[in-house]
Amino acid sequence: MREKIALVTGGTSGIGRKIVEELLEKGCTVITCYSKTEENAKKLQEEIQNDKLFVLKCDVSKEQEVIHMFQTIKEKYGHIDYLVNNAGTFIDNFIKDFDIEDFKKVLDINLLGKVICTKHAYPILKEGGSIVNIASHLGVVPCEESPAYCAAAAGIINFTKATALEYADKKIRVNAISPAFTPTPLSLRGWKKEEIEEKLRETPLGRFCEPMDTAKLCIFLLSEEASFITGENIWLNGGRF
Ligand SMILES: NC(=O)c1ccc[n+]([C@@H]2O[C@H](COP(=O)([O-])OP(=O)(O)OC[C@H]3O[C@@H](n4cnc5c(N)ncnc54)[C@H](OP(=O)(O)O)[C@@H]3O)[C@@H](O)[C@H]2O)c1
């Protein structure tokens, strides 16, 4: 992976940050973006101190910003080998009470953000490249208080399969990972303490999914080791169905 160039969206926190760290560890050049939290972007750069890391501000739900990001990447690097569509947010509520603008926001970031990046990455994704979409456990099983997040994650899983068919024309593989609850700022903000404890009790392997679990699987799926795997969604759930 030493000469490869990767774009990881939302790499300034949680799961995305771990993926950024692992790719840098493997010798990749890594570009990442975030939409608002400058403090995390600065922290990432200060703590990593690696000239193969390039951090950009880009809201993945805004197509013009994404087009501009890919122009910048093209001018600086010429192409990318890998795209990890990770950026996401979480707003929960019962559908009866859901503010439709909030519902749209979740779909715009978690689903359309991945769609927009996938579309505009295509011209600069090298033949034989690879895309990993971070979906969610909640894209496979329903959760009554997270209808928007569930809908977006389920959408990503079949979008992954459809894109795998289309992007095979450039031998680009497209896969999804659906992690279970992972302690990160997103999930710790979204779930109550009792709900988190219940998830742990219900997990046969007796621990939470960690950002590193997703990062390691992501590296595998991006790499040549996974050269015949495309259109898959891999569920990281510790045995909790
Ligand atoms: N944590 C879990 O339990 C869990 C489980 C399954 C799947 N996932 C998925 O894993 C992914 C990462 O989640 P996480 O838990 O690591 O969350 P996190 O710690 O909150 O990190 C989210 C990252 O995405 C960025 N981001 C958010 N909105 C963005 C936007 N519109 N444009 C660009 N960047 C944006 C954030 O930066 P800014 O805030 O600066 O924008 C941050 O870098 C998400 O897709 C989430 O759905 C999480």
Side-chain angles (χ1 to χ4, degrees), residues 164-197:
L165 296 177
E166 183 183 336
Y167 281 20
D169 63 351
K170 274 175 77 177
K171 306 283 181 278
I172 294 166
R173 295 177 301 103
V174 191
N175 291 290
I177 301 177
S178 286
F181 174 88
T182 308
T184 66
L186 175 147
S187 58
L188 295 171
R189 197 174 58 234
W191 298 97
K192 295 183 198 83
K193 193 165 169 274
E194 313 81 73
E195 291 170 330
I196 294 175
E197 285 166 359

Side-chain angles (χ1 to χ4, degrees), residues 34-45:
Y34 66 102
S35 69
K36 53 179 191 299
T37 322
E38 305 284 348
E39 194 190 322
N40 285 347
K42 273 201 197 118
K43 205 167 156 218
L44 173 73
Q45 283 165 306

Side-chain angles (χ1 to χ4, degrees), residues 117-231:
C117 288
T118 300
K119 173 184 162 85
H120 293 290
Y122 183 80
I124 67 160
L125 255 169
K126 226 176 171 180
E127 180 110 11
S130 182
I131 300 177
V132 171
N133 294 321
I134 308 300
S136 171
H137 179 75
L138 298 188
V140 187
V141 295
C143 169
E144 63 174 355
E145 213 180 331
S146 308
Y149 191 88
C150 286
I156 295 157
I157 293 169
N158 220 22
F159 171 70
T160 299
K161 293 173 191 287
T163 317
L165 296 177
E166 183 183 336
Y167 281 20
D169 63 351
K170 274 175 77 177
K171 306 283 181 278
I172 294 166
R173 295 177 301 103
V174 191
N175 291 290
I177 301 177
S178 286
F181 174 88
T182 308
T184 66
L186 175 147
S187 58
L188 295 171
R189 197 174 58 234
W191 298 97
K192 295 183 198 83
K193 193 165 169 274
E194 313 81 73
E195 291 170 330
I196 294 175
E197 285 166 359
E198 191 186 338
K199 287 179 198 305
L200 187 58
R201 271 198 307 279
E202 288 173 352
T203 306
L205 288 184
R207 69 167 178 86
F208 290 127
C209 184
E210 293 295 334
M212 185 58 107
D213 294 309
T214 301
K216 286 212 179 296
L217 179 58
C218 180
I219 303 289
F220 168 71
L221 288 173
L222 292 174
S223 78
E224 276 302 297
E225 304 288 312
S227 64
F228 202 53
I229 303 177
T230 194

